[in-house]
Amino acid sequence: MIPICCALCQSDISSLPVRGCYSTRLWVAIALLEASFHINNFVLFYIAAILEKTKAIKSEKHIKELTSVMMKPALIEGFESGLFFTAMLAYPQYTKELSWVMAGLVSIGIVRRVL
C-alpha cells in the first residue's frame, strides 16, 4: 500500500493534463513493482513446497529451518523493503525511480531463486 499511497500523493487531479505523461509512467512503475511482489510470492512458495517435498522424500531431519517451510534467501527481504518504503515516504518525488529499482532487485531475486 505504501507505493500506491505515494503515487496517489503524486497524482494531483487538477494538474493531470499537464503531468499526464509523468503520472502514467509513475503508475506503470507502481504496477510493475506490485506485479514483481506477486510473482516473487508465487515463486517463493512454489519453490518452498518443492523443497519441502524433496526434504520429506529424503527424510533429512538434520536441516534446521527458522520457519516451518524451507525458503531460499532473496536479494530484497523485509529490511530492504523497509528501507525502500521509508525512502518513498521521505522523498515521494522519487517514488517512480525507487519503484523501478526495487522491482529490478526483486526480479533479480526471483531469477536467483528459480535458478
Side-chain angles (χ1 to χ4, degrees), residues 28-40:
V28 168
I30 297 296
L32 181 69
L33 177 60
E34 295 293 327
S36 72
F37 288 162
H38 291 293
I39 294 168
N40 184 51

Side-chain angles (χ1 to χ4, degrees), residues 47-67:
I47 290 175
I50 291 172
L51 291 173
E52 278 297 310
K53 190 170 187 175
T54 303
K55 186 173 81 171
I57 291 172
K58 293 181 180 179
S59 67
E60 296 177 9
K61 304 285 186 202
H62 65 279
I63 296 176
K64 180 71 175 160
E65 294 293 328
L66 297 176
T67 61

Side-chain angles (χ1 to χ4, degrees), residues 10 16 21 24 26 36 47-48 63 70 73 83 108:
Q10 295 287 318
L16 193 57
C21 184
T24 301
L26 173 63
S36 72
I47 290 175
I63 296 176
M70 294 178 70
L83 289 177
I108 291 170

Side-chain angles (χ1 to χ4, degrees), residues 4-112:
I4 293 171
C5 290
C6 290
L8 285 172
C9 175
Q10 295 287 318
S11 299
D12 183 10
I13 300 300
S14 63
S15 65
L16 193 57
V18 177
R19 295 175 56 202
C21 184
Y22 177 80
S23 181
T24 301
R25 290 180 183 163
L26 173 63
W27 285 108
V28 168
I30 297 296
L32 181 69
L33 177 60
E34 295 293 327
S36 72
F37 288 162
H38 291 293
I39 294 168
N40 184 51
N41 287 335
F42 171 76
V43 168
L44 171 70
F45 290 110
Y46 184 75
I47 290 175
I50 291 172
L51 291 173
E52 278 297 310
K53 190 170 187 175
T54 303
K55 186 173 81 171
I57 291 172
K58 293 181 180 179
S59 67
E60 296 177 9
K61 304 285 186 202
H62 65 279
I63 296 176
K64 180 71 175 160
E65 294 293 328
L66 297 176
T67 61
S68 60
V69 294
M70 294 178 70
M71 293 187 187
K72 296 280 188 184
L75 190 59
I76 298 290
E77 292 183 337
F79 178 74
E80 295 83 3
S81 296
L83 289 177
F84 272 97
F85 294 149
T86 301
M88 285 180 190
L89 290 171
Y91 305 103
Q93 67 271 24
Y94 297 115
T95 299
K96 179 180 69 169
E97 292 81 5
L98 289 167
S99 295
W100 281 112
V101 170
M102 189 173 183
L105 293 173
V106 169
S107 299
I108 291 170
I110 292 169
V111 171
R112 283 186 52 209

